[in-house]
Amino acid sequence: MADGEEPAKKRQRIEEQPEKMALDVSSSSSSSDWDGRWSHVQKFLERSGPFTHPDFEPNEETLLFLLDTCKILVIGAGGLGCELLKNLALSGFRKIHVVDMDTIDVSNLNRQFLFRSKDVGRPKADVAAEFINSRVPGCQVVPHFKKIQDFDESFYRQFHIIVCGLDSIIARRWMNGMLLSLLVYEDGVLDQNSIIPLIDGGTEGFKGNLRVILPGMTACLECTLELYPPQINFPMCTIASMPRLPEHCIEYVRILQWPKEKPFGDSVGLDGDNPEHIQWVFQKSLERAAEFSITGVTYRLTQGVVKRIIPAVASTNAVIAAICTTEIFKIATSAYVPLNNYLVFNDACGLYTYTFEAERKEDCSACSQVPQKLQFPPYAKLQEVLEYLTENASLQMKSPAITATLEGRNRTLYLQTVASIEERTRPNLCKTLKELGLADGQELAVADVTTPQTVLFKLNFTS
């Protein structure tokens, strides 16, 4: 473009350029592709380099696989999920599904850039898909406004790679268990065609982490469960009698008042995604705070305490999402060696990254296919077993349901999630294992919200 070109002619040429580009269709599979659109991706796939995989052969077919065939599932459309969807769409991935059970809140708008004020109240998955599809020609994002637990195995089998951008350890563990349940073994040998790689990203403030999990081959999420920090819990005595912080007031309402007053019915649990529930907790927390002259209780803080919301920084989400997308690209194309298998990121004080290989646990409750050992004396009470399942760092179950086969019949020893069964089985908690009829070597089947599979334990009596 000549420096002396008249402004009117320059403007006209710029305005006409997109139209010319759109009409100049390449030989790619979609009419929405124009010459040079994927040149940045082709440089990685159609030529070799010092960092390519030793077995990689440059070719043109790999790009067509990304554009036409490769199916990616993104779980979560929040701060990390928005970045992931944008990165994947601009990297050539077109067949993308996104699952998210949340709706858009005003507080999301400062970092979840696919949403606008007019979208508040709408499902995140729907709005994110609409935005990407309208902004990136040829991209086909399919939204699912549901929980991940609402889908069966056939849904997850259709994807080549799954990436998580979640803020819930429980959901991560459930997804990890689902992919492990899809593995096929023939004569004890893992069929590698049944492996669906899981890329898991997470952020908290200025810290982030990423891991690449090849189910059945590398360390799964349960193998390194101890790496996740325990949730912050306030002492019950402080909550009940000596509150000093606004969080103490909210926890009082959440833990004590809600079960006692049952504002929405006997069988209705507190739902952090239900605005009516949060509003009720907020109002009761204000009353509690006023009694003790405590200030700072807000609707947003109430929601954060109930949902265990962690702080989010947009730049951290961007970095972790970029690394996640890079790893997805590596695995989908086989052009580069993927991360093996854990990366931590911290830019709170300077910039720090570190990668290491997390090793599989031989006795992992999820991926080892070996019954877990439970060592208790015969006079131990079932309550002690329940506490072990919830407090052990390697298990961290939330509401375990314990069953056993006694005298040829499957018997529920304790189940917490159904009120009528919980009431009926509650007396068992005070009984010893021997009184319940359990014997040395007895197998216990434990179901929990953290996994779609039943975990088997073998009871070993100690003297």
Side-chain angles (χ1 to χ4, degrees), residues 199-243:
I199 314 297
D200 178 49
T203 64
E204 181 176 354
F206 291 100
K207 301 176 183 179
N209 68 82
L210 162 80
R211 62 189 307 167
V212 176
I213 298 173
L214 302 179
M217 294 183 64
T218 64
C220 78
L221 194 143
E222 297 286 338
C223 289
T224 56
L225 195 58
E226 298 94 335
L227 293 177
Y228 291 94
Q231 290 185 342
I232 297 175
N233 294 306
F234 301 106
M236 183 59 69
C237 58
T238 301
I239 296 172
S241 58
M242 297 180 294

Side-chain angles (χ1 to χ4, degrees), residues 151-201:
F151 299 98
D152 59 14
E153 292 183 355
S154 62
F155 173 78
Y156 292 107
R157 285 188 193 277
Q158 66 180 301
F159 299 102
H160 293 91
I161 302 171
I162 295 176
V163 55
C164 291
L166 293 163
D167 58 3
S168 166
I169 302 297
I170 293 177
R172 280 187 174 92
R173 296 175 66 184
W174 191 94
M175 196 66 245
N176 179 75
M178 170 55 73
L179 295 186
L180 288 170
S181 72
L182 299 181
L183 297 178
V184 176
Y185 290 87
E186 297 179 1
D187 298 326
V189 179
L190 175 62
D191 180 2
Q192 297 200 8
N193 291 324
S194 65
I195 297 175
I196 301 177
L198 175 65
I199 314 297
D200 178 49

Side-chain angles (χ1 to χ4, degrees), residues 210-386:
L210 162 80
R211 62 189 307 167
V212 176
I213 298 173
L214 302 179
M217 294 183 64
T218 64
C220 78
L221 194 143
E222 297 286 338
C223 289
T224 56
L225 195 58
E226 298 94 335
L227 293 177
Y228 291 94
Q231 290 185 342
I232 297 175
N233 294 306
F234 301 106
M236 183 59 69
C237 58
T238 301
I239 296 172
S241 58
M242 297 180 294
R244 299 183 301 276
L245 302 172
E247 290 85 352
H248 294 161
C249 302
I250 299 168
E251 285 286 82
Y252 176 86
V253 176
R254 183 182 74 86
I255 297 174
L256 299 175
Q257 276 192 262
W258 181 280
K260 182 179 180 180
E261 299 189 20
K262 302 174 182 177
F264 294 88
D266 291 345
S267 60
V268 180
L270 177 56
D271 183 358
D273 295 305
N274 189 320
E276 294 182 356
H277 290 193
I278 298 297
Q279 184 63 33
W280 187 88
V281 175
F282 171 51
Q283 293 297 334
K284 293 294 182 179
S285 301
L286 283 175
E287 296 173 9
R288 174 81 173 168
E291 292 179 22
F292 293 88
S293 301
I294 296 172
T295 59
V297 174
T298 64
Y299 182 91
R300 184 174 180 179
L301 179 64
T302 303
Q303 190 176 43
V305 172
V306 171
K307 295 183 66 175
R308 293 290 197 262
I309 293 175
I310 57 179
V313 175
S315 59
T316 310
N317 287 332
V319 170
I320 297 300
I323 305 173
C324 285
T325 305
T326 301
E327 294 306 318
I328 293 170
F329 184 86
K330 290 179 184 178
I331 293 174
T333 63
S334 299
Y336 299 87
V337 179
L339 175 72
N340 186 27
N341 50 34
Y342 204 107
L343 177 145
V344 292
F345 169 84
N346 189 338
D347 64 345
C349 300
L351 181 63
Y352 173 77
T353 61
Y354 180 71
T355 61
F356 64 93
E357 180 182 358
E359 296 184 358
R360 292 186 67 181
K361 287 177 63 176
E362 293 183 0
D363 60 345
C364 174
S365 61
C367 69
S368 68
Q369 297 186 312
V370 176
Q372 303 298 294
K373 292 182 180 180
L374 277 178
Q375 295 185 322
F376 284 93
Y379 52 81
K381 296 181 179 180
L382 187 63
Q383 177 69 45
E384 296 176 50
V385 176
L386 187 72

